[in-house]
Amino acid sequence: MGNRYLYLFLFSLTITVTSCSTVQIYTEEQDVGYLRKDRVLLEVSNTSLIQCIPSGIDAFPSDFLTQEQRLHGGVVIHFLIMFYICAMIGIVCKDYFIPSLEIISASMQLPSDIAGATFMAIGTSAPELFSSITGSFITEGDIGVGTIVGSAVFNIVGVSGIVGIAIWSQVLDIDWYPIARDCSVYAVTVITLIWIIEDNIVEWWESLVLLFIFFVYLIIMGFNRRVEKASRNMCNGETWCVCCREDENASLLSGKTIIPEIDEVARTASFSNRDSFSVEITPSRTNSILKNYPSEIMDEIGRNGSSSLCTLPVGGPINFACWIIMYPAKLLFYITIPDSSNPRLYKFFPVTFFMAVLWIGVLSYLAVWMVTVIGYTFSIPDSISGLTVLAIGTSVPEVITSIIVAKNGYGNMSISNLVGSNTFDISFCLGLPWLIKTLISEKKYLLVYSSALTYTTATLLLTLVAFVIVFQLSHWKFNKKVGLIFLIIYAVFLVLSCMYELNVFGKINVPTCDH
C-alpha cells in the first residue's frame, strides 16, 4: 500500500509541474511574438517578433557540398565525419582530459566527493559543455539546449538500457541511496529548467539560479556521509528502501573479473562500521584502476576495442578494423597532447589539460557543424538534431565506460554516475554559458526559440519518475529486462519530443526560417 501512495505522489507531482508549464497552442490566424511570453522586457516589444526559428547553419562556414549534392547522397559524408569526430572526442576525454583532471584534483587535495562532482564531472561532460557553448555563442540557437536535454535522457534510460542488454543474463544489485540522492537534486534541476524556458526568455539571474543549484549539490556531496547515515536510518525497515547489504560483501558476478581496489572497499564495507555506505567512484577513478591493473581487466578492455598506439588490439577483425580507422586520430593526439599518465610526462599535466580542452572545443564545434548541416539538409530543426544525434554522439564515453564497469559486476558505479552527471549537465553546462552570454549581450537576455522544448523537458521529468519506478518494481535489480524497459522508455521519449518539435500535437513552434 505504501508503494501505491509513493507512486501516486510522484505521478501527481509530475502532472502538476507539466500542467504549470503548459504552453498556449496557437492557431494559424494568430500573428504573435514570443510564444508563451508572460512578461515584457524593456528591450522587447511587440514589434520584435519571432516569426520563424532560424537555422544555425548561417553561423558556420559554407559547406563543401551544395544542398542538391547532399540530398543526392552527399549527406552520408557528413554522417561519417560526425561519427568519426564523436569517436575522437571520446578518445581525448578518456585518454587525456580526465587523467589530467584527476591529477589536478589530487594536487589540490580535494575530497573525493567534491572532486567527483566538479573536475570529474567536467571531464565526463566536456562534450556537452562545449556543445552548449557553441549553441549559446556561435549558432545562438536551440542546439545546445537540445543536446543537454537529449543527453540527460540518453544517460538515464538510453545508456542504462544499453548496459542492461550488454550484461544480458547477469543480474546486478543496485543500491537505492546514490540514485535517490542524485535523482532528488536532478528533479529540482529539471523543474527549474522548465520554469526558466517556459517563456522562451533566459535572463542572467535565471542562469544564476541554475548555478546555485549546482553549488547546493556540491554542499550535499560535501556532507554526503552524514546525509547518507540519516537517510538510511530513516528508511531502516521500510519495504521500499531496498539496500544491498549482505549481497554487497560477495562477488556479484561469479567468474567475472574483480578489481582489487574496489573489491577491498566492498569486502570491508558493512552497515555497522562505516561512515558512508555508497561506493562513489568516478569514471576517472575507474579508468585509473583499469589502467593500473593490466591482467584480466586489460583483456576486457581489449575485447572492447581499446589498445595502445603501438599494440595491436585483441578481439577479432572488428576491433582491428576500428583500431586501424582510429589510428590517425590517436597518432595526432599522441603528437599534440602530452600523456600525463606517463611518469616521464607527469609534470606536464597543465599542458595536457590545456591541449585537451582545445581539442575538445574544436571537435565539439565540428560536431555541432556537421549535425547542423545534416539537420538543415532534411529540414530538421536544430533542437531535434541536438536531442537525438548530437546528444547520443557526445555520450559515447559514458556508454563505453558504463558497459565495461557493469560487465565487471559494479552496477552502482555504472548507474549512479550517469544520474549524477545529469545534474552537472543542466545546472552547469547550461547555467554558465547562459550567464556569460546574458551578461555580455546588449539585450541582457537570450532566446529559446523552440517552445516545444518546455514539453520535452517536462517529458524528461516523466522519464526520471519512470526510471525510479522501474528500479523499485524490479527490487533494485539490474538485468536485461530492466535494460529493455529503459530502451523502450527512451524510444518513447524520442518519438514524443520529435512530435512536439514538429507540431504534431498542435502549432507549438513557429516554422523554421527559409533561406
Side-chain angles (χ1 to χ4, degrees):
M1 183 65 67
N3 286 341
R4 295 181 181 177
Y5 287 118
L6 174 63
Y7 299 155
L8 180 61
F9 170 77
L10 292 175
F11 180 78
S12 301
L13 176 63
T14 304
I15 294 300
T16 301
V17 173
T18 306
S19 300
C20 291
S21 62
T22 300
V23 301
Q24 180 181 356
I25 306 299
Y26 290 92
T27 61
E28 293 289 347
E29 290 78 13
Q30 287 180 293
D31 185 13
V32 294
Y34 293 102
L35 302 180
R36 300 175 294 109
K37 190 172 98 60
D38 301 322
R39 53 188 165 164
V40 179
L41 303 180
L42 293 178
E43 299 85 358
V44 181
S45 65
N46 290 332
T47 59
S48 171
L49 306 177
I50 300 180
Q51 301 293 345
C52 60
I53 299 178
S55 173
I57 195 170
D58 295 331
F60 295 102
S62 299
D63 189 35
F64 52 87
L65 295 177
T66 64
Q67 174 72 351
E68 184 179 357
Q69 290 173 331
R70 292 194 298 266
L71 288 174
H72 285 81
V75 72
V76 174
I77 299 176
H78 295 80
F79 274 106
L80 295 176
I81 295 176
M82 181 200 63
F83 293 145
Y84 198 85
I85 290 173
C86 290
M88 292 176 69
I89 292 175
I91 294 174
V92 173
C93 289
K94 178 179 179 295
D95 295 341
Y96 298 97
F97 189 51
I98 291 179
S100 68
L101 289 176
E102 190 173 64
I103 296 174
I104 293 174
S105 300
S107 63
M108 296 177 64
Q109 297 182 344
L110 293 176
S112 60
D113 292 341
I114 301 299
T118 53
F119 287 106
M120 299 306 113
I122 294 174
T124 56
S125 300
E128 289 89 342
L129 175 59
F130 280 94
S131 296
S132 177
I133 293 174
T134 303
S136 298
F137 291 92
I138 298 178
T139 65
E140 297 185 346
D142 296 334
I143 196 168
V145 186
T147 302
I148 296 298
V149 175
S151 177
V153 178
F154 184 69
N155 283 344
I156 286 185
V157 289
V159 177
S160 298
I162 294 174
V163 172
I165 298 300
I167 62 176
W168 197 245
S169 59
Q170 302 157 357
V171 179
L172 302 182
D173 289 306
I174 303 297
D175 189 13
W176 66 270
Y177 170 73
I179 293 180
R181 176 200 62 203
D182 293 335
C183 283
S184 299
V185 181
Y186 180 48
V188 174
T189 308
V190 173
I191 293 173
T192 304
L193 180 62
I194 296 173
W195 166 67
I196 290 176
I197 68 175
E198 59 90 21
D199 61 351
N200 298 89
I201 299 174
V202 180
E203 299 184 72
W204 68 268
W205 62 270
E206 293 174 325
S207 307
L208 204 60
V209 171
L210 282 179
L211 291 176
F212 175 75
I213 294 176
F214 173 67
F215 287 112
V216 170
Y217 181 60
L218 292 184
I219 294 174
I220 294 175
M221 295 298 293
F223 292 94
N224 179 62
R225 293 184 178 182
R226 297 181 182 178
V227 175
E228 184 175 4
K229 270 188 175 181
S231 300
R232 292 189 184 274
N233 289 334
M234 288 175 58
C235 80
N236 188 24
E238 296 288 339
T239 58
W240 57 272
C241 290
V242 180
C243 305
C244 307
R245 297 177 186 173
E246 296 180 359
D247 293 341
E248 284 183 344
N249 297 328
S251 174
L252 297 176
L253 299 178
S254 59
K256 294 299 294 182
T257 304
I258 299 299
I259 304 174
E261 289 87 342
I262 306 178
D263 188 45
E264 178 66 22
V265 174
R267 287 187 291 103
T268 59
S270 63
F271 184 76
S272 59
N273 64 5
R274 61 176 173 149
D275 293 331
S276 181
F277 306 109
S278 61
V279 181
E280 297 176 6
I281 303 180
T282 61
S284 64
R285 175 59 177 157
T286 305
N287 292 335
S288 176
I289 294 174
L290 297 181
K291 289 180 180 179
N292 294 329
Y293 194 68
S295 56
E296 297 92 346
I297 293 295
M298 292 311 295
D299 291 339
E300 178 72 18
I301 294 178
R303 286 191 292 271
N304 286 277
S306 298
S307 61
S308 65
L309 192 65
C310 301
T311 305
L312 294 178
V314 296
I318 296 179
N319 287 338
F320 180 76
C322 293
W323 182 77
I324 291 293
I325 293 173
M326 297 309 303
Y327 189 87
K330 291 185 177 182
L331 180 61
L332 180 61
F333 296 147
Y334 180 82
I335 295 174
T336 57
I337 309 177
D339 186 3
S340 57
S341 62
N342 189 331
R344 295 177 298 177
L345 302 176
Y346 176 86
K347 60 182 179 180
F348 295 105
F349 70 88
V351 181
T352 302
F353 171 80
F354 175 79
M355 291 302 300
V357 168
L358 181 61
W359 269 113
I360 294 174
V362 172
L363 293 173
S364 298
Y365 173 85
L366 295 176
V368 174
W369 181 13
M370 291 298 103
V371 172
T372 302
V373 172
I374 294 172
Y376 178 79
T377 302
F378 297 108
S379 299
I380 298 174
D382 290 347
S383 53
I384 294 183
S385 300
L387 283 167
T388 55
V389 180
L390 194 57
I392 297 175
T394 55
S395 299
V396 170
E398 285 87 347
V399 175
I400 298 174
T401 302
S402 298
I403 290 177
I404 294 177
V405 170
K407 281 188 174 182
N408 285 279
Y410 304 100
N412 287 338
M413 192 191 311
S414 177
I415 299 300
S416 61
N417 283 321
L418 294 174
V419 181
S421 66
N422 286 344
T423 299
F424 177 83
D425 285 350
I426 295 178
S427 61
F428 189 87
C429 293
L430 281 180
L432 183 61
W434 279 357
L435 178 62
I436 297 175
K437 177 64 176 181
T438 52
L439 290 177
I440 66 175
S441 173
E442 295 181 358
K443 298 179 180 179
K444 301 303 179 185
Y445 66 89
L446 60 84
L447 297 176
V448 177
Y449 291 94
S450 173
S451 298
L453 279 174
T454 303
Y455 281 118
T456 302
T457 308
T459 308
L460 173 59
L461 191 60
L462 288 174
T463 62
L464 176 61
V465 175
F467 176 80
V468 176
I469 291 178
V470 169
F471 269 125
Q472 174 64 33
L473 294 178
S474 67
H475 302 288
W476 300 96
K477 302 291 184 180
F478 190 36
N479 52 33
K480 62 181 179 182
K481 293 182 180 178
V482 174
L484 181 60
I485 294 174
F486 283 152
L487 288 179
I488 295 174
I489 294 174
Y490 181 65
V492 171
F493 169 81
L494 286 183
V495 172
L496 286 177
S497 60
C498 292
M499 292 173 73
Y500 290 145
E501 295 291 340
L502 297 175
N503 293 334
V504 174
F505 298 113
K507 192 170 179 57
I508 302 174
N509 283 335
V510 294
T512 304
C513 300
D514 295 328
H515 284 71

